[in-house]
Amino acid sequence: DTEVTQTPKHLVMGMTNKKSLKCEQHMGHRAMYWYKQKAKKPPELMFVYSYEKLSINESVPSRFSPECPNSSLLNLHLHALQPEDSALYLCASSQLGQSYGYTFGSGTRLTVV
Amino acid sequence: ILNVEQSPQSLHVQEGDSTNFTCSFPSSNFYALHWYRWETAKSPEALFVMTLNGDEKKKGRISATLNTKEGYSYLYIKGSQPEDSATYLCAFTYSGGGADGLTFGKGTHLIIQP
């Protein structure tokens, strides 16, 4: 298995809802990442997990809460989002080290209404 | 704030022609430079990861070079085909060791015209 699988592919949620995005990989990668991409902008790093521990949080608002329950799974819990949080959320994984590329999922398209 | 700049923003190329585009990045504390190919509604696909000054990498008709001293990388596509149409992203990482996020450029949107 050489893929990163993200579910759901599309999500519409209200500002008072709680929802979760899920990301899964079975390549034995020990680093996993969440990125946010708005239209016509590059992906922006949100969180990095290394060996299931949060190693980087790029000053993301607390309404986004990441979780890494095991080495294959990465979740992003969403609560009280704003319409400006509507974006494509990409998950990626990689081996640790300088020479390794990242494997990306195809993303979850989130719309906050 | 680290800036990764890509040019041009978009490019129309005739099928069969060769093309190239540029990525510039901060040359201090360089660690690795990545190129990704991203088709609409698909996952970004890793093309190359380059770490050493003077690196040249090739994958079929696509190749890339790296100059870490002056902070730029070129991506070349030889004999463009319609399936090469995509957004090409470069991304930079500056720390050593551990897991580091990528800082992306805005991409070059390439359209191959039959």
Side-chain angles (χ1 to χ4, degrees):
Chain A
D1 188 353
T2 57
E3 290 185 348
V4 171
T5 303
Q6 287 188 246
T7 54
K9 292 201 181 304
H10 301 273
L11 178 62
V12 179
M13 62 184 289
M15 288 189 280
T16 57
N17 290 160
K18 284 185 183 181
K19 295 284 184 184
S20 296
L21 309 185
K22 183 178 170 183
C23 173
E24 194 166 359
Q25 58 90 12
H26 297 285
M27 294 175 280
H29 290 174
R30 300 313 296 268
M32 295 185 77
Y33 312 83
W34 280 115
Y35 285 83
K36 174 182 177 180
Q37 199 241 347
K38 303 274 281 183
K40 299 189 180 179
K41 296 266 181 92
E44 290 181 356
L45 182 67
M46 300 175 73
F47 302 105
V48 180
Y49 273 82
S50 175
Y51 291 102
E52 296 93 72
K53 288 191 177 2
L54 184 65
S55 59
I56 297 177
N57 175 342
E58 291 286 353
S59 303
V60 179
S62 59
R63 57 187 186 268
F64 294 91
S65 174
E67 179 199 18
C68 190
N70 60 57
S71 60
S72 299
L73 278 176
L74 184 66
N75 299 320
L76 187 63
H77 302 298
L78 314 172
H79 173 54
L81 294 193
Q82 303 297 309
E84 59 264 29
D85 296 321
S86 299
L88 180 69
Y89 289 84
L90 287 164
C91 174
S93 69
S94 73
Q95 296 186 52
L96 291 165
Q98 188 181 15
S99 305
Y100 297 104
Y102 291 31
T103 303
F104 281 86
S106 55
T108 294
R109 176 72 62 187
L110 175 68
T111 304
V112 181
V113 297
Chain B
I1 296 175
L2 298 171
N3 278 330
V4 179
E5 303 287 342
Q6 289 189 248
S7 63
Q9 268 192 312
S10 67
L11 192 54
H12 287 71
V13 173
Q14 209 63 33
E15 182 178 353
D17 286 352
S18 296
T19 188
N20 65 83
F21 25 94
T22 308
C23 172
S24 62
F25 53 87
S27 55
S28 58
N29 298 320
F30 174 84
Y31 190 55
L33 192 283
H34 295 226
W35 281 101
Y36 289 85
R37 180 173 175 277
W38 195 3
E39 288 182 74
T40 305
K42 294 189 177 179
S43 317
E45 173 199 354
L47 291 174
F48 305 112
V49 180
M50 294 187 287
T51 57
L52 297 175
N53 185 44
D55 254 354
E56 290 188 28
K57 296 221 172 173
K58 190 175 178 183
K59 188 176 182 178
R61 295 179 291 99
I62 304 177
S63 60
T65 61
L66 178 67
N67 183 322
T68 60
K69 293 185 192 299
E70 295 180 41
Y72 64 83
S73 174
Y74 293 131
L75 190 80
Y76 300 90
I77 301 178
K78 188 176 175 182
S80 304
Q81 300 296 309
E83 58 266 27
D84 296 328
S85 297
T87 297
Y88 290 83
L89 291 168
C90 78
F92 167 80
T93 181
Y94 62 92
S95 301
D100 304 300
L102 298 170
T103 299
F104 282 91
K106 289 185 179 179
T108 292
H109 184 50
L110 176 65
I111 297 169
I112 307 301
Q113 295 167 323

